[in-house]
Amino acid sequence: MSRATSLAVVTLMLVLVPAPAGAGTTRPPLGLTATPARVGLAGTGKASVRITNPGRGAVVVDVGRAGFSLDLRGRPRVVARAGPRAATAWLTVRPGRFVLPAGATKWLTVSSRLPRRVEPGDHDALILLTTRPWRSAGVAVRMRIGVVVVVRAPGRVVRSVAVRALRVRRAGHARTLELVLANRGNVTERVGAARVRLLLVRKGGRASVRAETRELRPRTNGVVQFRYRGRLAGWVTARVRLTLEPGRPVISRTFRVKL
């Protein structure tokens, strides 16, 4: 069998966060980390991203740009056609390809240039980093990671989030409450325990449930999850309090749900 026919390519799933430092004492056969995993640019500007190869072998890194979306629960997906708020065409990344030896670090420069007419607020894109072996035979494992780039265009910032619904999902004995939000504003909102609180009340007991953090892109709907492992059961009153930023009015809603 020839080398061309024996070569297999395995593509790993998209990762939008860097691997944790010090995760193990031995180097993995393949690795790539990006710091920071999220870059913010104010209009036309520049930023640097540090790329590190913690693996045991050298890799070639191809750099590209893409649009992306988040599903209702915040899971990322690369999209072929960028949406109306995508900043993909505004970005330039240098270098576009490089070799990264084992244990080495490389700095990328991410630049944005706004078009003449642009809607105010946040526009985003992905910088995709895809690895391939420098020299290999047999099986080639490829890794792809994404760095989120958010470009804020000048103009009036609108922050507006509506609480739509609260529902319960069950998987065995585990219960997850899902708060459906609609971001009507023009900036990305980071929603988590610091901004949204959920209190469950039933005769004879109450419980405060911590929210899982996620980002909600402009003009999109999303779900914030609360994993509940307490003892309350049956119909409960669920009180939601959402604060977008200090000094602004608190958004409050009350629901009846069955745990």
Side-chain angles (χ1 to χ4, degrees):
M1 182 181 294
S2 68
R3 180 177 180 273
T5 57
S6 64
L7 182 64
V9 176
V10 180
T11 302
L12 304 185
M13 69 180 296
L14 174 67
V15 179
L16 290 184
V17 294
T25 57
T26 60
R27 286 185 176 182
L30 177 68
L32 197 69
T33 66
T35 308
R38 186 181 189 275
V39 174
L41 296 172
T44 298
K46 292 183 179 182
S48 297
V49 179
R50 184 177 67 187
I51 310 300
T52 302
N53 176 10
R56 297 196 295 266
V59 293
V60 178
V61 181
D62 294 308
V63 182
R65 302 165 301 168
F68 77 100
S69 65
L70 301 177
D71 69 10
L72 277 177
R73 294 177 179 82
R75 293 183 292 255
R77 181 172 65 91
V78 177
V79 296
R81 297 186 63 181
R85 298 194 66 86
T88 314
W90 309 350
L91 300 181
T92 302
V93 188
R94 295 287 185 270
R97 176 180 296 171
F98 55 92
V99 176
L100 199 58
T105 293
K106 181 78 173 180
W107 289 89
L108 296 183
T109 299
V110 182
S111 305
S112 64
R113 181 175 293 276
L114 298 187
R116 289 185 178 181
R117 295 182 181 180
V118 59
E119 185 179 349
D122 288 348
H123 304 256
D124 51 35
L126 273 183
I127 300 299
L128 289 178
L129 307 171
T130 306
T131 67
R132 51 190 173 90
W134 175 235
R135 294 186 180 88
S136 67
V139 177
V141 179
R142 305 187 74 180
M143 171 178 280
R144 183 172 63 169
I145 67 174
V147 176
V148 176
V149 180
V150 179
V151 181
R152 178 160 295 184
R156 180 171 175 261
V157 169
V158 178
R159 305 191 71 176
S160 176
V161 176
V163 178
R164 294 290 196 189
L166 182 68
R167 58 201 185 200
V168 180
R169 294 178 63 217
R170 297 175 179 83
H173 297 291
R175 289 163 290 177
T176 301
L177 292 98
E178 296 188 333
L179 181 65
V180 183
L181 301 177
N183 184 359
R184 298 170 174 171
N186 61 7
V187 294
T188 299
E189 298 288 356
R190 187 171 178 83
V191 184
R195 290 192 174 182
V196 59
R197 296 182 180 181
L198 176 63
L199 180 66
L200 304 178
V201 180
R202 194 173 188 271
K203 186 176 181 180
R206 60 175 53 200
S208 179
V209 192
R210 188 177 181 86
E212 297 183 358
T213 301
R214 63 156 297 170
E215 289 192 342
L216 192 61
R217 301 169 69 229
R219 316 273 171 77
T220 64
N221 297 333
V223 166
V224 177
Q225 295 186 320
F226 304 79
R227 302 193 186 277
Y228 180 63
R229 298 176 176 83
R231 297 182 178 180
L232 293 182
W235 287 97
V236 301
T237 299
R239 298 171 182 167
V240 177
R241 290 173 59 88
L242 174 64
T243 305
L244 292 183
E245 57 184 345
R248 294 197 58 180
V250 175
I251 303 169
S252 300
R253 288 286 304 272
T254 299
F255 300 91
R256 289 281 292 173
V257 295
K258 189 175 183 180
L259 295 178

